[in-house]
Amino acid sequence: MDDVMLQLEELQQAWLPLVMQYGGQVLLAIVTLLVGWWVIGRLTAAVLGVLQRRNIDPTLHGFLGALVGIGLRVLLLVSVAGMIGVETTSFIALIGAAGLAIGLALQGSLANFAGGMLIIMLRPFKVGEYIEAQGMGGTVDSIQIFHTILKTPDNKTVVIPNGSLSNGNIINYSRQPTRRVDLNIGIDYGDDVKQAREILLRLARADERVFTDPEPVVWLVSLGDSSVNLSLRMWTKTSDYWGVFWDIQELAKETFDREGITIPFPQRTLHMVSSPAAS
């Protein structure tokens, strides 16, 4: 029992000076870490609130919020390390070495991060626009640090890495306020091309969504194997594109049927050649 008490006294004599010397610093560092973490959360929320009040593009909200939060937390950790006696120069060098190792291991993720930065700066699209890229199409739901999220018309979620997205072709269907609707219809070779053209123009001019300037036109674009192919070209608002396309296509079919214009099926003409009877 005396040996145990002696050992405890020795431990107390060995550790008490250390606790007295460093205990206050460690306690202050812990308090600083907790308070700083809470303050950073509040600051990040405040930054997002300022962006929203100033009508900044929603594309930037989550991206800038994440960058601000990560940057401030790294600075907080470096400061706390300095408070408990860690040499910040060594600590920064360690972070740099770790960052290099992580960067080599995560080259794809860094490429996605760089791609996200390019998308934010160049802004080939923004949240709410409909795009086609990497073989997929959908409305941009969010632009994150590493990925861009699309929602397809049938409500599927598509996740595209920013690296490949920023380096590939992107078709933005929503950026321009107006679009041209091309409606291609084939008629029979025996039908009157002029009559078919007048029908299509009449339908286009009767739709209030179709612009009068530039006015709609109908061109004979090709002579197919079994049809004469006409193209009705008309301009409308981007938001009205599909409504105009579907409505006038249906009206064209009904009007052609009523006025005797035929939309032919693909067909082939076969010539039967009889062989001479065997002698």
Side-chain angles (χ1 to χ4, degrees):
M1 186 67 180
D2 293 337
D3 292 339
V4 173
M5 294 299 297
L6 182 61
Q7 291 177 359
L8 290 176
E9 290 179 358
E10 292 177 351
L11 288 174
Q12 182 178 3
Q13 293 175 359
W15 287 100
L16 186 58
L18 295 176
V19 172
M20 294 296 293
Q21 180 179 357
Y22 296 107
Q25 295 179 355
V26 172
L27 181 61
L28 181 60
I30 293 174
V31 172
T32 301
L33 180 63
L34 295 176
V35 174
W37 208 269
W38 178 81
V39 171
I40 289 173
R42 301 288 293 181
L43 286 176
T44 304
V47 169
L48 294 176
V50 170
L51 293 176
Q52 293 175 355
R53 286 194 298 271
R54 295 189 177 183
N55 295 322
I56 303 298
D57 188 345
T59 302
L60 299 173
H61 291 179
F63 201 92
L64 292 180
L67 287 181
V68 170
I70 292 173
L72 291 177
R73 285 180 173 88
V74 170
L75 292 177
L76 175 63
L77 292 175
V78 172
S79 300
V80 170
M83 294 176 62
I84 60 177
V86 177
E87 291 292 337
T88 55
T89 54
S90 302
F91 193 71
I92 293 174
L94 179 63
I95 292 176
L100 178 61
I102 294 173
L104 293 175
L106 301 175
Q107 295 182 29
S109 296
L110 291 178
N112 291 333
F113 176 80
M117 294 296 295
L118 288 174
I119 291 172
I120 291 298
M121 290 187 294
L122 301 179
R123 299 180 66 185
F125 55 83
K126 59 184 180 180
V127 172
E129 293 184 336
Y130 188 94
I131 67 170
E132 280 186 4
Q134 300 298 309
M136 303 299 299
T139 301
V140 180
D141 184 68
S142 64
I143 301 175
Q144 301 178 2
I145 294 179
F146 298 109
H147 301 89
T148 293
I149 311 298
L150 304 183
K151 287 293 183 65
T152 63
D154 56 349
N155 205 33
K156 295 176 183 176
T157 298
V158 180
V159 181
I160 302 179
N162 285 335
S164 57
L165 186 59
S166 63
N167 291 319
N169 296 326
I170 300 172
I171 302 176
N172 190 328
Y173 289 94
S174 303
R175 181 59 54 90
Q176 301 300 326
T178 62
R179 285 185 62 187
R180 192 184 75 186
V181 182
D182 292 356
L183 183 59
N184 300 316
I185 297 179
I187 64 173
D188 191 87
Y189 269 92
D191 291 333
D192 189 340
V193 173
K194 183 178 180 180
Q195 180 188 4
R197 177 183 287 112
E198 291 175 350
I199 291 173
L200 293 175
L201 289 175
R202 184 172 75 242
L203 295 176
R205 290 166 180 162
D207 195 316
E208 296 180 351
R209 296 169 295 181
V210 176
F211 296 162
T212 57
D213 184 20
E215 64 179 1
V217 295
V218 177
W219 299 104
L220 195 160
V221 292
S222 66
L223 300 175
D225 294 338
S226 58
S227 64
V228 176
N229 299 316
L230 305 177
S231 179
L232 170 60
R233 300 180 180 182
M234 46 198 165
W235 287 85
T236 186
K237 294 179 181 179
T238 299
S239 57
D240 292 332
Y241 178 89
W242 287 111
V244 170
F245 182 88
W246 289 322
D247 291 345
I248 293 187
Q249 182 170 241
E250 182 177 351
L251 288 173
K253 174 63 169 65
E254 295 174 352
T255 307
F256 278 4
D257 290 344
R258 188 167 56 249
E259 300 193 20
I261 301 295
T262 304
I263 300 177
F265 295 100
Q267 52 187 294
R268 294 289 185 272
T269 301
L270 301 178
H271 298 277
M272 304 297 294
V273 179
S274 59
S275 58
S279 56

